[in-house]
């Protein structure tokens, strides 16, 4: 996964309904403000909707050359931009009984969504722990090591606003 010095352009999409006083949005603004290569773009597309999964690729075409960061395992379909996604865990595959209703179908859907995110050309994934990283290699042994990186959630969500605005802190985050 790229470090800040390797990124030439990064677009961060947020829902247009986000409130400016939202604490995570404020942190995002500080991070983006300290980096000349990133920008925030607001979109009407609601995440976790059918429109999101099937139209985000078309929306992103106007940002050719930008890398797309998606904070979940199920990267929307049809994205041509180099992308990064985050896999928090593989509980549906690892924990017996985690899915109660129609577990076989839901596990297959989960597996193929993860596989799409892990194998799509130009995509890289962040695992939030060494355990998740190991689980990814156990269930998806054909994924190359260079497509994965461990970044602990606390590395980017802790600290004061001043620390997050610090360029060195940003380099370690990205």
């Amino acid at each position: 996964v790229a470090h800040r010095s390797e990124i030439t352009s990064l677009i961060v999409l947020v829902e247009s309904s986000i409130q400016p006083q939202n604490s995570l949005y404020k942190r995002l603004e500080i991070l983006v403000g300290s980096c000349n290569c990133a920008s925030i773009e607001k979109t009407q597309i609601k995440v976790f909707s059918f429109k999101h999964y099937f139209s985000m690729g078309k929306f992103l075409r106007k940002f050719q050359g930008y890398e797309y960061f998606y904070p979940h395992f199920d990267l929307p379909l049809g994205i041509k931009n180099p992308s990064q996604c985050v896999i928090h865990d593989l509980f549906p595959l690892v924990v017996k009984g985690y899915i109660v209703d129609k577990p076989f179908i839901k596990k297959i859907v989960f597996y193929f969504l993860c596989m799409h995110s892990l194998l799509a050309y130009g995509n890289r994934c962040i695992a939030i722990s060494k355990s998740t990283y190991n689980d990814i290699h156990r269930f998806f042994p054909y994924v190359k090591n260079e497509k994965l990186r461990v970044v602990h959630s606390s590395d980017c969500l802790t600290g004061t606003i001043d620390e997050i605005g610090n360029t060195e802190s940003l380099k370690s985050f990205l």
Side-chain angles (χ1 to χ4, degrees):
V1 174
H3 290 278
R4 184 194 181 283
S5 61
E6 299 168 339
I7 295 174
T8 56
S9 56
L10 175 71
I11 187 82
V12 182
L13 300 177
V14 296
E15 286 185 17
S16 57
S17 61
I18 194 163
Q19 300 298 313
Q21 64 272 22
N22 177 296
S23 63
L24 291 176
Y25 183 70
K26 284 181 180 181
R27 286 180 175 218
L28 179 62
E29 285 183 313
I30 290 169
L31 283 169
V32 168
S34 67
C35 176
N36 294 332
C37 61
S39 63
I40 299 172
E41 178 76 19
K42 292 187 177 182
T43 176
Q44 296 287 330
I45 300 173
K46 299 281 187 200
V47 295
F48 308 120
S49 66
F50 280 112
K51 183 176 181 182
H52 174 250
Y53 286 110
F54 295 105
S55 66
M56 186 56 72
K58 183 177 178 181
F59 177 81
L60 286 173
R61 286 190 195 123
K62 67 180 176 178
F63 299 105
Q64 288 182 351
Y66 280 84
E67 187 161 341
Y68 177 58
F69 174 79
Y70 185 67
H72 303 288
F73 74 94
D74 54 342
L75 198 62
L77 303 173
I79 294 175
K80 304 288 186 209
N81 305 54
S83 301
Q84 294 185 48
C85 64
V86 178
I87 297 181
H88 298 269
D89 60 59
L90 294 181
F91 283 3
L93 303 176
V94 175
V95 179
K96 186 175 179 151
Y98 184 77
I99 299 175
V100 182
D101 185 37
K102 299 179 182 129
F104 182 74
I105 293 169
K106 289 180 180 176
K107 281 183 179 183
I108 288 176
V109 169
F110 180 83
Y111 183 86
F112 281 104
L113 287 172
C114 284
M115 190 169 65
H116 161 71
S117 295
L118 288 163
L119 295 180
Y121 178 77
N123 287 358
R124 295 174 293 180
C125 290
I126 297 168
I128 66 157
S129 69
K130 184 65 175 166
S131 174
T132 300
Y133 178 90
N134 292 339
D135 286 342
I136 291 168
H137 278 295
R138 186 172 69 159
F139 285 93
F140 304 93
Y142 39 82
V143 174
K144 296 178 182 173
N145 284 336
E146 58 267 13
K147 290 193 81 139
L148 290 173
R149 179 176 174 200
V150 175
V151 177
H152 299 96
S153 292
S154 62
D155 291 348
C156 61
L157 297 177
T158 60
T160 65
I161 294 289
D162 291 334
E163 291 169 336
I164 290 173
N166 177 316
T167 304
E168 290 306 310
S169 176
L170 178 63
K171 284 180 185 176
S172 69
F173 171 68
L174 295 175

